[in-house]
C-alpha cells in the first residue's frame, strides 16, 4: 500500500498536513488509499471534512489511551467529522465506499480505517459487531421500516393529523405531517426527519 509523508496537497480537498500527528512531533504518514476514500466521502456530502486524528506516533497513541494495535500507528486510520452530518449517516456511505473498520465515536465523529478486516463499533454504547449495523438517523420520502412507523405513530400521537396511515412508508402524507410539526416547533421546515426533528419528536 502506497504511503504519503508529504504535507502538501494529496487529493482535490485534502493536504497531508491534515493527517500529521497531533503531539507536535511533526510526523506525517498516511495511506494514499485511505485519503482517496475520504475524498469520496467528501464528494458525496459536498461538505468539508475535519480530520480530528490521522497518523499517531507511538507516544501520542499511548497518551490518548489507544491500543498498541491501533491502525493510526500505521497511517491506516482517520477520525473525522462533517458539520451538519451525523456519524451514522457518514458510516453508511463509508461502508459503501469500502472502509474496513467503522466506529461511531459520538453522534458527530467517526473512526474509519483500512486495517484489513471488517468490523463495526459504537463507542456510544461500548459495543462491537462483526457486521455493519448502523441505520441512517435521517428519515425522508422513500424510507420504509420500523423507524418510519415509529415516526408516524409519534406524529399521530402529537396531533399532526395528516398521518392517517401508520404503515412504515414515508410518503407525501408523512412528509406533510413532519412539515406541520417542524413549523409549530421552530424547526427548519423541509419535511425531512433528521436528527434535530427526531430529537424534538422524541424518537
Amino acid at each position: 500500500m502506497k504511503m504519503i509523508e508529504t504535507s502538501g496537497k494529496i487529493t482535490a480537498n485534502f493536504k497531508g498536513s491534515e493527517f500529521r500527528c497531533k503531539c507536535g512531533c511533526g510526523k506525517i504518514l498516511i495511506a494514499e488509499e485511505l485519503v482517496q476514500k475520504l475524498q469520496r466521502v467528501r464528494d458525496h456530502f459536498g461538505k468539508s471534512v475535519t480530520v480530528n486524528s490521522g497518523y499517531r506516533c507511538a507516544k501520542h497513541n499511548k497518551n490518548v489511551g489507544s491500543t498498541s494495535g491501533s491502525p493510526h500507528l500505521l497511517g491506516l486510520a482517520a477520525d473525522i467529522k462533517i458539520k451538519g452530518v451525523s456519524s451514522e449517516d457518514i458510516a453508511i456511505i463509508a461502508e459503501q465506499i469500502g472502509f474496513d473498520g467503522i466506529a461511531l465515536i459520538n453522534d458527530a465523529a467517526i473512526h474509519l480505517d483500512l486495517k484489513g478486516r471488517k468490523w463495526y463499533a459504537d463507542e456510544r454504547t461500548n459495543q462491537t459487531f462483526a457486521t455493519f449495523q448502523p441505520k441512517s438517523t435521517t428519515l425522508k420520502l422513500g424510507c420504509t421500516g420500523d423507524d418510519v412507523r415509529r415516526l408516524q405513530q409519534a406524529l399521530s400521537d402529537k396531533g399532526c393529523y395528516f398521518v392517517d396511515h401508520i404503515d412504515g412508508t414515508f410518503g407525501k402524507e408523512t412528509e406533510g405531517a413532519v412539515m406541520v410539526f417542524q413549523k409549530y416547533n421552530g424547526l427548519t421546515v423541509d419535511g425531512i426527519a433528521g436528527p434535530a426533528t427526531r430529537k424534538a419528536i422524541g424518537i
Side-chain angles (χ1 to χ4, degrees):
M1 187 176 294
K2 184 177 179 180
M3 306 302 291
I4 296 168
E5 298 183 68
T6 178
S7 62
K9 191 172 183 179
I10 49 181
T11 69
N13 298 103
F14 286 104
K15 295 180 179 179
S17 57
E18 295 177 71
F19 301 90
R20 179 182 284 119
C21 183
K22 302 294 186 182
C23 77
C25 69
K27 178 71 173 179
I28 298 171
L29 182 70
I30 200 74
E32 182 179 53
E33 182 182 351
L34 180 82
V35 184
Q36 289 174 344
K37 288 183 185 300
L38 288 173
Q39 181 65 50
R40 290 173 61 188
V41 171
R42 190 198 186 285
D43 291 344
H44 174 85
F45 290 106
K47 294 184 175 183
S48 297
V49 172
T50 299
V51 180
N52 293 332
S53 180
Y55 172 74
R56 294 177 190 160
C57 69
K59 179 180 178 181
H60 181 54
N61 190 65
K62 183 178 180 180
N63 286 342
V64 297
S66 189
T67 66
S68 59
S70 171
H72 285 278
L73 289 164
L74 303 174
L76 298 176
D79 298 345
I80 67 167
K81 64 180 180 180
I82 302 174
K83 186 176 182 180
V85 181
S86 73
S87 56
E88 289 212 3
D89 285 342
I90 298 173
I92 290 168
I93 299 306
E95 195 273 339
Q96 294 172 7
I97 287 172
F99 283 93
D100 295 332
I102 299 172
L104 307 183
I105 299 170
N106 53 45
D107 291 343
I110 186 170
H111 164 97
L112 302 172
D113 72 46
L114 296 178
K115 194 173 181 178
R117 65 177 179 85
K118 294 290 184 179
W119 66 282
Y120 166 67
D122 190 337
E123 294 183 9
R124 300 170 302 181
T125 56
N126 293 317
Q127 291 180 292
T128 300
F129 310 96
T131 57
F132 185 73
Q133 297 193 16
K135 296 179 180 179
S136 174
T137 56
T138 298
L139 300 175
K140 57 186 177 181
L141 275 176
C143 288
T144 59
D146 289 340
D147 279 354
V148 175
R149 189 173 287 103
R150 283 191 287 271
L151 170 69
Q152 293 169 327
Q153 187 63 60
L155 289 168
S156 180
D157 292 344
K158 291 179 182 298
C160 295
Y161 54 88
F162 292 114
V163 182
D164 295 324
H165 304 94
I166 313 298
D167 57 7
T169 298
F170 198 122
K172 285 292 186 180
E173 179 184 271
T174 303
E175 182 184 52
V178 170
M179 293 176 74
V180 169
F181 179 85
Q182 290 171 328
K183 179 180 179 180
Y184 289 101
N185 287 274
L187 300 165
T188 299
V189 181
D190 57 10
I192 297 173
T197 295
R198 291 188 64 170
K199 181 177 181 181
I201 292 172
I203 61 168

